[in-house]
Tab-separated table of all heavy atoms in Angstrom:
chain	number	residue	atom	x	y	z
A	24	PHE	N	74.963	90.792	50.374
A	24	PHE	CA	74.129	90.235	51.456
A	24	PHE	C	74.797	89.038	52.128
A	24	PHE	O	74.590	88.751	53.282
A	24	PHE	CB	72.728	89.881	50.956
A	24	PHE	CG	72.655	88.690	50.071
A	24	PHE	CD1	72.364	87.445	50.613
A	24	PHE	CD2	72.872	88.801	48.709
A	24	PHE	CE1	72.279	86.337	49.797
A	24	PHE	CE2	72.794	87.709	47.900
A	24	PHE	CZ	72.501	86.480	48.437
A	25	ILE	N	75.670	88.357	51.337
A	25	ILE	CA	76.382	87.236	51.943
A	25	ILE	C	77.413	87.755	52.923
A	25	ILE	O	77.532	87.266	54.043
A	25	ILE	CB	77.071	86.384	50.878
A	25	ILE	CG1	76.032	85.763	49.984
A	25	ILE	CG2	77.919	85.298	51.535
A	25	ILE	CD1	76.616	84.923	48.904
A	28	ARG	N	75.836	88.533	55.962
A	28	ARG	CA	75.462	87.369	56.755
A	28	ARG	C	76.656	86.801	57.475
A	28	ARG	O	76.574	86.386	58.608
A	28	ARG	CB	74.870	86.292	55.847
A	28	ARG	CG	73.468	86.614	55.587
A	28	ARG	CD	72.666	85.553	54.998
A	28	ARG	NE	71.382	86.174	54.793
A	28	ARG	CZ	70.410	86.126	55.672
A	28	ARG	NH1	70.551	85.461	56.786
A	28	ARG	NH2	69.273	86.729	55.435
A	32	LEU	N	76.972	86.248	61.381
A	32	LEU	CA	77.289	84.965	62.014
A	32	LEU	C	78.435	85.139	63.005
A	32	LEU	O	78.351	84.748	64.160
A	32	LEU	CB	77.676	83.937	60.944
A	32	LEU	CG	78.232	82.597	61.446
A	32	LEU	CD1	77.207	81.875	62.272
A	32	LEU	CD2	78.685	81.729	60.295
A	39	ALA	N	77.683	85.927	71.630
A	39	ALA	CA	77.217	84.849	72.495
A	39	ALA	C	78.343	84.358	73.394
A	39	ALA	O	78.155	84.105	74.572
A	39	ALA	CB	76.681	83.707	71.641
A	43	VAL	N	78.756	85.197	77.678
A	43	VAL	CA	78.984	84.220	78.726
A	43	VAL	C	79.400	84.883	80.031
A	43	VAL	O	78.840	84.627	81.089
A	43	VAL	CB	80.110	83.276	78.247
A	43	VAL	CG1	80.606	82.416	79.386
A	43	VAL	CG2	79.606	82.428	77.104
A	46	SER	N	76.617	87.897	81.064
A	46	SER	CA	75.175	87.661	81.146
A	46	SER	C	74.711	87.177	82.507
A	46	SER	O	73.540	87.251	82.818
A	46	SER	CB	74.767	86.637	80.090
A	46	SER	OG	75.471	85.463	80.352
A	47	ALA	N	75.652	86.639	83.284
A	47	ALA	CA	75.250	86.149	84.593
A	47	ALA	C	74.566	87.223	85.422
A	47	ALA	O	73.691	86.940	86.230
A	47	ALA	CB	76.478	85.621	85.336
A	71	VAL	N	65.248	70.139	64.660
A	71	VAL	CA	65.732	71.050	63.630
A	71	VAL	C	65.684	70.349	62.272
A	71	VAL	O	65.980	69.174	62.168
A	71	VAL	CB	67.180	71.457	63.940
A	71	VAL	CG1	67.715	72.388	62.878
A	71	VAL	CG2	67.261	72.108	65.295
A	72	GLY	N	65.293	71.095	61.242
A	72	GLY	CA	65.356	70.559	59.894
A	72	GLY	C	64.102	69.831	59.454
A	72	GLY	O	63.972	69.482	58.291
A	81	PHE	N	61.252	79.814	57.814
A	81	PHE	CA	60.834	80.630	56.682
A	81	PHE	C	60.056	81.855	57.178
A	81	PHE	O	60.267	82.974	56.699
A	81	PHE	CB	59.976	79.791	55.730
A	81	PHE	CG	59.267	80.615	54.688
A	81	PHE	CD1	59.975	81.162	53.636
A	81	PHE	CD2	57.907	80.866	54.785
A	81	PHE	CE1	59.336	81.934	52.679
A	81	PHE	CE2	57.262	81.632	53.844
A	81	PHE	CZ	57.979	82.174	52.785
A	97	VAL	N	63.537	84.107	67.932
A	97	VAL	CA	64.441	82.986	68.199
A	97	VAL	C	63.646	81.698	68.171
A	97	VAL	O	62.634	81.570	68.859
A	97	VAL	CB	65.089	83.129	69.587
A	97	VAL	CG1	66.050	81.985	69.827
A	97	VAL	CG2	65.788	84.449	69.702
A	99	ASP	N	63.087	77.976	69.149
A	99	ASP	CA	63.510	77.055	70.193
A	99	ASP	C	62.932	75.677	69.887
A	99	ASP	O	61.734	75.460	70.050
A	99	ASP	CB	63.012	77.568	71.555
A	99	ASP	CG	63.487	76.694	72.706
A	99	ASP	OD1	64.447	75.938	72.511
A	99	ASP	OD2	62.896	76.792	73.796
A	100	ASN	N	63.783	74.768	69.419
A	100	ASN	CA	63.301	73.442	69.073
A	100	ASN	C	63.235	72.569	70.319
A	100	ASN	O	64.213	72.427	71.024
A	100	ASN	CB	64.243	72.773	68.069
A	100	ASN	CG	64.332	73.549	66.779
A	100	ASN	OD1	65.171	74.433	66.647
A	100	ASN	ND2	63.472	73.255	65.856
A	103	GLY	N	60.552	65.620	70.630
A	103	GLY	CA	60.175	64.519	71.518
A	103	GLY	C	58.683	64.259	71.540
A	103	GLY	O	57.883	65.186	71.408
A	104	GLY	N	58.348	62.993	71.669
A	104	GLY	CA	56.939	62.612	71.777
A	104	GLY	C	56.103	63.031	70.584
A	104	GLY	O	54.911	63.274	70.737
A	141	ARG	N	48.998	61.531	77.052
A	141	ARG	CA	50.184	62.341	77.292
A	141	ARG	C	49.921	63.832	77.111
A	141	ARG	O	50.712	64.655	77.533
A	141	ARG	CB	51.296	61.935	76.318
A	141	ARG	CG	51.896	60.594	76.608
A	141	ARG	CD	52.826	60.197	75.498
A	141	ARG	NE	52.103	59.919	74.257
A	141	ARG	CZ	52.686	59.843	73.062
A	141	ARG	NH1	53.964	60.051	72.949
A	141	ARG	NH2	51.979	59.561	71.991
A	143	ARG	N	48.913	67.360	77.699
A	143	ARG	CA	48.533	68.220	78.826
A	143	ARG	C	48.245	69.625	78.348
A	143	ARG	O	48.112	70.529	79.136
A	143	ARG	CB	49.675	68.311	79.842
A	143	ARG	CG	50.335	67.022	80.173
A	143	ARG	CD	50.144	66.541	81.578
A	143	ARG	NE	50.276	65.095	81.581
A	143	ARG	CZ	51.439	64.451	81.514
A	143	ARG	NH1	52.554	65.116	81.509
A	143	ARG	NH2	51.487	63.142	81.480
A	184	LYS	N	48.013	48.102	49.483
A	184	LYS	CA	48.922	48.411	50.587
A	184	LYS	C	49.361	49.870	50.531
A	184	LYS	O	49.644	50.401	49.466
A	184	LYS	CB	50.144	47.506	50.517
A	184	LYS	CG	49.782	46.051	50.760
A	184	LYS	CD	51.014	45.207	50.940
A	184	LYS	CE	50.658	43.836	51.471
A	184	LYS	NZ	50.394	42.859	50.403
A	212	PHE	N	52.381	50.262	58.965
A	212	PHE	CA	52.831	51.402	59.765
A	212	PHE	C	54.320	51.322	60.072
A	212	PHE	O	54.956	50.306	59.842
A	212	PHE	CB	52.043	51.465	61.073
A	212	PHE	CG	50.580	51.705	60.866
A	212	PHE	CD1	49.656	50.719	61.142
A	212	PHE	CD2	50.141	52.931	60.370
A	212	PHE	CE1	48.309	50.934	60.940
A	212	PHE	CE2	48.793	53.151	60.167
A	212	PHE	CZ	47.871	52.151	60.451
A	213	GLY	N	54.841	52.402	60.609
A	213	GLY	CA	56.229	52.409	61.064
A	213	GLY	C	57.165	53.206	60.179
A	213	GLY	O	58.372	53.181	60.382
A	215	ARG	N	59.142	56.417	59.083
A	215	ARG	CA	59.547	57.531	59.928
A	215	ARG	C	59.189	58.887	59.320
A	215	ARG	O	59.281	59.909	59.965
A	215	ARG	CB	61.033	57.461	60.217
A	215	ARG	CG	61.300	56.686	61.504
A	215	ARG	CD	62.736	56.333	61.603
A	215	ARG	NE	63.126	55.571	60.424
A	215	ARG	CZ	64.351	55.101	60.232
A	215	ARG	NH1	65.276	55.344	61.103
A	215	ARG	NH2	64.626	54.395	59.156
A	218	GLY	N	58.356	60.734	53.406
A	218	GLY	CA	59.381	60.449	52.402
A	218	GLY	C	59.705	58.960	52.360
A	218	GLY	O	59.852	58.380	51.287
A	221	ARG	N	57.022	57.196	50.562
A	221	ARG	CA	57.145	57.328	49.107
A	221	ARG	C	58.213	56.386	48.577
A	221	ARG	O	58.069	55.796	47.509
A	221	ARG	CB	57.482	58.774	48.731
A	221	ARG	CG	57.727	58.969	47.248
A	221	ARG	CD	57.916	60.430	46.902
A	221	ARG	NE	58.769	61.130	47.846
A	221	ARG	CZ	60.102	61.046	47.837
A	221	ARG	NH1	60.718	60.307	46.943
A	221	ARG	NH2	60.796	61.709	48.713
A	222	LEU	N	59.292	56.213	49.344
A	222	LEU	CA	60.345	55.295	48.927
A	222	LEU	C	59.791	53.875	48.812
A	222	LEU	O	60.116	53.145	47.877
A	222	LEU	CB	61.486	55.351	49.949
A	222	LEU	CG	62.897	55.157	49.415
A	222	LEU	CD1	63.183	56.067	48.244
A	222	LEU	CD2	63.900	55.385	50.525
A	225	GLU	N	58.045	53.792	45.632
A	225	GLU	CA	58.959	53.751	44.488
A	225	GLU	C	59.623	52.385	44.350
A	225	GLU	O	59.970	51.962	43.262
A	225	GLU	CB	60.035	54.844	44.607
A	225	GLU	CG	59.499	56.234	44.317
A	225	GLU	CD	60.623	57.253	44.158
A	225	GLU	OE1	61.551	57.015	43.374
A	225	GLU	OE2	60.567	58.304	44.837
A	226	ARG	N	59.836	51.711	45.488
A	226	ARG	CA	60.418	50.376	45.433
A	226	ARG	C	59.404	49.351	44.965
A	226	ARG	O	59.737	48.199	44.738
A	226	ARG	CB	60.900	49.957	46.833
A	226	ARG	CG	62.067	50.724	47.352
A	226	ARG	CD	62.669	50.021	48.554
A	226	ARG	NE	61.738	49.873	49.647
A	226	ARG	CZ	61.895	50.466	50.840
A	226	ARG	NH1	62.923	51.243	51.059
A	226	ARG	NH2	61.018	50.266	51.793
A	228	GLU	N	56.853	48.389	46.820
A	228	GLU	CA	56.278	47.640	47.940
A	228	GLU	C	54.853	48.091	48.249
A	228	GLU	O	54.008	47.292	48.589
A	228	GLU	CB	57.162	47.797	49.182
A	228	GLU	CG	58.478	47.058	49.063
A	228	GLU	CD	59.233	47.025	50.383
A	228	GLU	OE1	59.830	48.054	50.754
A	228	GLU	OE2	59.231	45.983	51.033
A	241	SER	N	57.337	68.154	44.157
A	241	SER	CA	58.761	67.978	43.893
A	241	SER	C	59.139	66.538	43.608
A	241	SER	O	60.017	66.269	42.811
A	241	SER	CB	59.583	68.508	45.063
A	241	SER	OG	59.336	67.724	46.201
A	344	GLU	N	58.155	84.371	47.311
A	344	GLU	CA	58.987	83.443	48.067
A	344	GLU	C	58.182	82.282	48.633
A	344	GLU	O	58.688	81.169	48.764
A	344	GLU	CB	59.671	84.180	49.228
A	344	GLU	CG	60.604	85.251	48.741
A	344	GLU	CD	61.901	85.254	49.519
A	344	GLU	OE1	62.092	84.321	50.334
A	344	GLU	OE2	62.709	86.153	49.298
A	348	GLN	N	57.837	77.471	49.256
A	348	GLN	CA	57.781	76.880	50.595
A	348	GLN	C	56.388	76.371	50.948
A	348	GLN	O	56.256	75.370	51.638
A	348	GLN	CB	58.214	77.922	51.652
A	348	GLN	CG	59.637	78.406	51.481
A	348	GLN	CD	60.653	77.415	52.028
A	348	GLN	OE1	60.315	76.515	52.765
A	348	GLN	NE2	61.911	77.576	51.637
A	388	ALA	N	44.954	48.806	65.375
A	388	ALA	CA	45.733	49.777	66.141
A	388	ALA	C	44.977	50.187	67.387
A	388	ALA	O	43.773	50.454	67.331
A	388	ALA	CB	46.001	51.008	65.292
A	389	SER	N	45.678	50.203	68.502
A	389	SER	CA	45.014	50.662	69.719
A	389	SER	C	45.548	52.037	70.090
A	389	SER	O	46.747	52.274	70.033
A	389	SER	CB	45.277	49.672	70.855
A	389	SER	OG	46.582	49.168	70.752
B	25	PHE	N	83.440	80.386	53.612
B	25	PHE	CA	82.303	79.820	54.332
B	25	PHE	C	82.535	78.357	54.681
B	25	PHE	O	82.095	77.888	55.723
B	25	PHE	CB	81.022	79.989	53.519
B	25	PHE	CG	80.415	81.334	53.700
B	25	PHE	CD1	80.774	82.389	52.887
B	25	PHE	CD2	79.516	81.560	54.724
B	25	PHE	CE1	80.235	83.638	53.077
B	25	PHE	CE2	78.964	82.807	54.918
B	25	PHE	CZ	79.333	83.860	54.088
B	49	SER	N	72.085	72.939	63.707
B	49	SER	CA	71.128	73.882	64.292
B	49	SER	C	71.761	75.245	64.465
B	49	SER	O	71.087	76.270	64.413
B	49	SER	CB	70.635	73.392	65.648
B	49	SER	OG	70.596	72.010	65.692
B	52	LEU	N	71.965	76.707	60.672
B	52	LEU	CA	70.726	76.807	59.892
B	52	LEU	C	70.125	78.216	59.827
B	52	LEU	O	69.701	78.653	58.757
B	52	LEU	CB	69.709	75.803	60.442
B	52	LEU	CG	68.883	75.047	59.414
B	52	LEU	CD1	69.766	74.436	58.347
B	52	LEU	CD2	68.066	73.964	60.089
B	54	PHE	N	71.364	80.950	59.550
B	54	PHE	CA	72.047	81.887	58.662
B	54	PHE	C	71.879	81.539	57.194
B	54	PHE	O	72.300	82.279	56.318
B	54	PHE	CB	73.535	81.932	59.023
B	54	PHE	CG	73.759	82.290	60.454
B	54	PHE	CD1	74.011	81.324	61.398
B	54	PHE	CD2	73.659	83.625	60.861
B	54	PHE	CE1	74.178	81.655	62.723
B	54	PHE	CE2	73.825	83.956	62.183
B	54	PHE	CZ	74.091	82.976	63.126
B	56	TYR	N	69.100	81.126	55.412
B	56	TYR	CA	67.994	81.717	54.680
B	56	TYR	C	68.471	82.924	53.876
B	56	TYR	O	68.975	83.891	54.436
B	56	TYR	CB	66.878	82.097	55.651
B	56	TYR	CG	65.639	82.517	54.945
B	56	TYR	CD1	64.867	81.575	54.275
B	56	TYR	CD2	65.254	83.839	54.909
B	56	TYR	CE1	63.752	81.945	53.596
B	56	TYR	CE2	64.124	84.222	54.239
B	56	TYR	CZ	63.370	83.276	53.572
B	56	TYR	OH	62.271	83.660	52.883
B	57	GLY	N	68.339	82.849	52.569
B	57	GLY	CA	68.743	83.961	51.721
B	57	GLY	C	70.173	83.880	51.225
B	57	GLY	O	70.614	84.732	50.465
B	139	ARG	N	70.319	55.478	41.896
B	139	ARG	CA	68.873	55.304	42.071
B	139	ARG	C	68.414	53.850	42.082
B	139	ARG	O	67.818	53.396	43.065
B	139	ARG	CB	68.131	56.098	41.014
B	139	ARG	CG	67.226	57.153	41.578
B	139	ARG	CD	66.446	57.841	40.485
B	139	ARG	NE	65.019	57.667	40.718
B	139	ARG	CZ	64.343	58.311	41.646
B	139	ARG	NH1	64.943	59.177	42.419
B	139	ARG	NH2	63.060	58.110	41.807
B	143	LEU	N	66.980	51.794	45.355
B	143	LEU	CA	65.599	51.316	45.297
B	143	LEU	C	65.518	49.798	45.440
B	143	LEU	O	64.466	49.262	45.773
B	143	LEU	CB	64.945	51.748	43.983
B	143	LEU	CG	64.488	53.203	43.947
B	143	LEU	CD1	63.884	53.539	42.586
B	143	LEU	CD2	63.478	53.488	45.043
B	145	PHE	N	66.913	48.076	47.640
B	145	PHE	CA	66.913	47.695	49.054
B	145	PHE	C	65.520	47.849	49.643
B	145	PHE	O	65.139	48.922	50.071
B	145	PHE	CB	67.917	48.534	49.839
B	145	PHE	CG	69.289	47.930	49.833
B	145	PHE	CD1	70.156	48.192	48.788
B	145	PHE	CD2	69.692	47.092	50.843
B	145	PHE	CE1	71.413	47.626	48.758
B	145	PHE	CE2	70.952	46.520	50.823
B	145	PHE	CZ	71.817	46.772	49.784
B	147	SER	N	62.327	46.549	52.339
B	147	SER	CA	62.300	46.331	53.788
B	147	SER	C	62.937	45.003	54.185
B	147	SER	O	63.552	44.902	55.235
B	147	SER	CB	60.866	46.407	54.298
B	147	SER	OG	60.002	45.740	53.421
B	189	PRO	N	55.746	49.920	66.463
B	189	PRO	CA	55.484	50.570	65.176
B	189	PRO	C	54.247	50.020	64.480
B	189	PRO	O	53.559	50.737	63.774
B	189	PRO	CB	56.755	50.290	64.370
B	189	PRO	CG	57.442	49.171	65.054
B	189	PRO	CD	57.065	49.270	66.497
B	191	THR	N	51.386	48.625	65.796
B	191	THR	CA	50.046	48.751	66.357
B	191	THR	C	49.831	50.021	67.164
B	191	THR	O	48.715	50.331	67.548
B	191	THR	CB	49.754	47.568	67.299
B	191	THR	OG1	50.744	47.586	68.328
B	191	THR	CG2	49.819	46.262	66.561
B	193	GLU	N	50.803	50.390	70.121
B	193	GLU	CA	50.752	50.072	71.557
B	193	GLU	C	52.027	50.559	72.231
B	193	GLU	O	53.093	50.537	71.621
B	193	GLU	CB	50.647	48.554	71.752
B	193	GLU	CG	49.327	47.978	71.332
B	193	GLU	CD	49.419	46.465	71.174
B	193	GLU	OE1	50.193	45.994	70.331
B	193	GLU	OE2	48.713	45.766	71.897
B	201	ASP	N	56.113	59.565	80.894
B	201	ASP	CA	56.138	60.299	79.632
B	201	ASP	C	57.483	60.168	78.945
B	201	ASP	O	57.582	60.035	77.739
B	201	ASP	CB	55.867	61.793	79.874
B	201	ASP	CG	54.383	62.056	80.021
B	201	ASP	OD1	53.635	61.067	80.065
B	201	ASP	OD2	53.988	63.230	80.089
B	204	TYR	N	58.030	57.220	76.548
B	204	TYR	CA	57.164	56.999	75.399
B	204	TYR	C	57.965	56.956	74.100
B	204	TYR	O	57.617	56.292	73.152
B	204	TYR	CB	56.092	58.093	75.293
B	204	TYR	CG	54.850	57.784	76.088
B	204	TYR	CD1	54.743	58.130	77.414
B	204	TYR	CD2	53.783	57.137	75.485
B	204	TYR	CE1	53.606	57.852	78.148
B	204	TYR	CE2	52.634	56.844	76.206
B	204	TYR	CZ	52.549	57.208	77.536
B	204	TYR	OH	51.428	56.916	78.233
B	205	ASP	N	59.054	57.737	74.035
B	205	ASP	CA	59.892	57.755	72.835
B	205	ASP	C	61.049	56.781	72.924
B	205	ASP	O	61.856	56.716	72.024
B	205	ASP	CB	60.492	59.157	72.645
B	205	ASP	CG	59.569	60.038	71.841
B	205	ASP	OD1	58.603	59.493	71.293
B	205	ASP	OD2	59.822	61.238	71.751
B	272	GLY	N	67.775	54.736	56.241
B	272	GLY	CA	67.123	54.011	57.326
B	272	GLY	C	68.100	53.327	58.249
B	272	GLY	O	67.811	53.112	59.404
B	325	PHE	N	66.515	61.150	47.074
B	325	PHE	CA	65.134	60.811	47.423
B	325	PHE	C	64.527	61.757	48.447
B	325	PHE	O	63.353	61.657	48.748
B	325	PHE	CB	65.073	59.389	47.991
B	325	PHE	CG	65.567	58.345	47.045
B	325	PHE	CD1	66.850	57.870	47.132
B	325	PHE	CD2	64.733	57.866	46.047
B	325	PHE	CE1	67.310	56.910	46.248
B	325	PHE	CE2	65.187	56.915	45.159
B	325	PHE	CZ	66.476	56.438	45.255
B	335	ILE	N	68.872	67.020	58.995
B	335	ILE	CA	68.899	68.460	59.165
B	335	ILE	C	69.445	69.128	57.920
B	335	ILE	O	69.000	70.210	57.519
B	335	ILE	CB	69.718	68.824	60.405
B	335	ILE	CG1	69.069	68.123	61.585
B	335	ILE	CG2	69.741	70.311	60.622
B	335	ILE	CD1	69.738	68.380	62.855
B	338	GLY	N	66.680	69.762	55.739
B	338	GLY	CA	65.980	70.989	56.089
B	338	GLY	C	66.705	72.203	55.526
B	338	GLY	O	66.086	73.142	55.024
B	341	LEU	N	65.965	72.654	51.888
B	341	LEU	CA	64.638	73.232	51.670
B	341	LEU	C	64.653	74.722	51.946
B	341	LEU	O	64.019	75.507	51.237
B	341	LEU	CB	63.602	72.533	52.557
B	341	LEU	CG	63.373	71.058	52.222
B	341	LEU	CD1	62.446	70.406	53.229
B	341	LEU	CD2	62.801	70.916	50.822
B	346	GLN	N	64.917	71.558	46.112
B	346	GLN	CA	64.144	70.364	46.393
B	346	GLN	C	64.997	69.158	46.085
B	346	GLN	O	65.444	68.985	44.963
B	346	GLN	CB	62.882	70.338	45.530
B	346	GLN	CG	61.816	71.327	45.939
B	346	GLN	CD	61.140	70.967	47.244
B	346	GLN	OE1	61.335	69.880	47.781
B	346	GLN	NE2	60.353	71.878	47.777
B	452	ASN	N	60.951	46.955	63.097
B	452	ASN	CA	60.212	47.693	62.097
B	452	ASN	C	60.335	47.052	60.720
B	452	ASN	O	59.346	46.834	60.027
B	452	ASN	CB	60.778	49.115	62.054
B	452	ASN	CG	59.697	50.129	61.830
B	452	ASN	OD1	58.580	49.758	61.480
B	452	ASN	ND2	60.010	51.371	62.020
B	453	TYR	N	61.575	46.734	60.324
B	453	TYR	CA	61.774	46.194	58.985
B	453	TYR	C	61.204	44.791	58.866
B	453	TYR	O	60.699	44.409	57.819
B	453	TYR	CB	63.258	46.211	58.616
B	453	TYR	CG	63.795	47.611	58.472
B	453	TYR	CD1	64.969	48.001	59.083
B	453	TYR	CD2	63.101	48.564	57.722
B	453	TYR	CE1	65.451	49.293	58.962
B	453	TYR	CE2	63.572	49.854	57.605
B	453	TYR	CZ	64.751	50.218	58.227
B	453	TYR	OH	65.212	51.501	58.107
B	455	TYR	N	58.567	43.625	60.469
B	455	TYR	CA	57.120	43.806	60.341
B	455	TYR	C	56.755	44.291	58.940
B	455	TYR	O	55.842	43.777	58.304
B	455	TYR	CB	56.653	44.786	61.414
B	455	TYR	CG	55.306	45.395	61.159
B	455	TYR	CD1	54.147	44.635	61.327
B	455	TYR	CD2	55.183	46.709	60.738
B	455	TYR	CE1	52.916	45.190	61.082
B	455	TYR	CE2	53.955	47.266	60.491
B	455	TYR	CZ	52.815	46.504	60.663
B	455	TYR	OH	51.612	47.067	60.401
B	459	GLN	N	54.576	42.395	56.102
B	459	GLN	CA	53.333	43.028	55.660
B	459	GLN	C	53.329	43.286	54.159
B	459	GLN	O	52.336	43.082	53.482
B	459	GLN	CB	53.142	44.353	56.396
B	459	GLN	CG	52.774	44.210	57.837
B	459	GLN	CD	51.335	43.787	58.004
B	459	GLN	OE1	50.435	44.451	57.522
B	459	GLN	NE2	51.118	42.661	58.648
B	460	PHE	N	54.449	43.787	53.658
B	460	PHE	CA	54.495	44.152	52.244
B	460	PHE	C	54.620	42.930	51.347
B	460	PHE	O	53.988	42.827	50.311
B	460	PHE	CB	55.693	45.067	51.970
B	460	PHE	CG	55.451	46.516	52.267
B	460	PHE	CD1	56.369	47.247	53.007
B	460	PHE	CD2	54.320	47.155	51.785
B	460	PHE	CE1	56.154	48.591	53.272
B	460	PHE	CE2	54.107	48.499	52.048
B	460	PHE	CZ	55.026	49.214	52.802
B	461	GLN	N	55.485	42.011	51.736
B	461	GLN	CA	55.868	40.972	50.792
B	461	GLN	C	55.440	39.580	51.210
B	461	GLN	O	55.606	38.639	50.442
B	461	GLN	CB	57.389	40.991	50.600
B	461	GLN	CG	57.905	42.346	50.162
B	461	GLN	CD	59.410	42.457	50.298
B	461	GLN	OE1	60.084	41.482	50.558
B	461	GLN	NE2	59.928	43.658	50.113
B	633	GLY	N	80.598	79.647	82.771
B	633	GLY	CA	80.591	80.419	81.532
B	633	GLY	C	80.222	79.563	80.341
B	633	GLY	O	79.407	79.952	79.509
B	636	VAL	N	76.392	78.714	80.513
B	636	VAL	CA	75.535	79.857	80.194
B	636	VAL	C	75.696	80.221	78.717
B	636	VAL	O	74.723	80.478	78.009
B	636	VAL	CB	75.885	81.058	81.107
B	636	VAL	CG1	75.085	82.279	80.693
B	636	VAL	CG2	75.592	80.713	82.554
B	637	GLY	N	76.949	80.186	78.249
B	637	GLY	CA	77.200	80.528	76.847
B	637	GLY	C	76.519	79.572	75.894
B	637	GLY	O	75.834	79.989	74.954
B	643	THR	N	69.959	78.213	72.492
B	643	THR	CA	68.673	78.537	73.134
B	643	THR	C	68.176	77.379	74.007
B	643	THR	O	67.159	76.774	73.736
B	643	THR	CB	67.562	78.906	72.129
B	643	THR	OG1	67.454	77.872	71.155
B	643	THR	CG2	67.836	80.217	71.446
B	655	LEU	N	70.042	83.851	89.534
B	655	LEU	CA	71.445	84.158	89.256
B	655	LEU	C	71.755	84.298	87.775
B	655	LEU	O	72.443	85.205	87.342
B	655	LEU	CB	72.333	83.064	89.852
B	655	LEU	CG	72.372	83.024	91.368
B	655	LEU	CD1	73.015	81.737	91.834
B	655	LEU	CD2	73.147	84.225	91.897
Side-chain angles (χ1 to χ4, degrees):
Chain A
F24 72 94
I25 296 179
R28 279 194 183 267
L32 171 62
V43 168
S46 60
V71 179
F81 168 73
V97 182
D99 183 18
N100 299 89
R141 289 172 291 164
R143 315 247 154 77
K184 294 191 168 90
F212 296 111
R215 268 166 303 181
R221 176 174 43 79
L222 213 51
E225 286 192 52
R226 292 194 300 245
E228 289 190 283
S241 66
E344 297 223 7
Q348 298 281 345
S389 37
Chain B
F25 277 89
S49 328
L52 221 50
F54 304 99
Y56 189 71
R139 241 184 121 74
L143 282 179
F145 272 86
S147 42
T191 59
E193 290 164 298
D201 279 7
Y204 272 87
D205 272 350
F325 301 97
I335 302 180
L341 295 174
Q346 287 289 350
N452 217 347
Y453 293 132
Y455 162 74
Q459 288 285 303
F460 277 132
Q461 304 166 9
V636 175
T643 53
L655 291 167

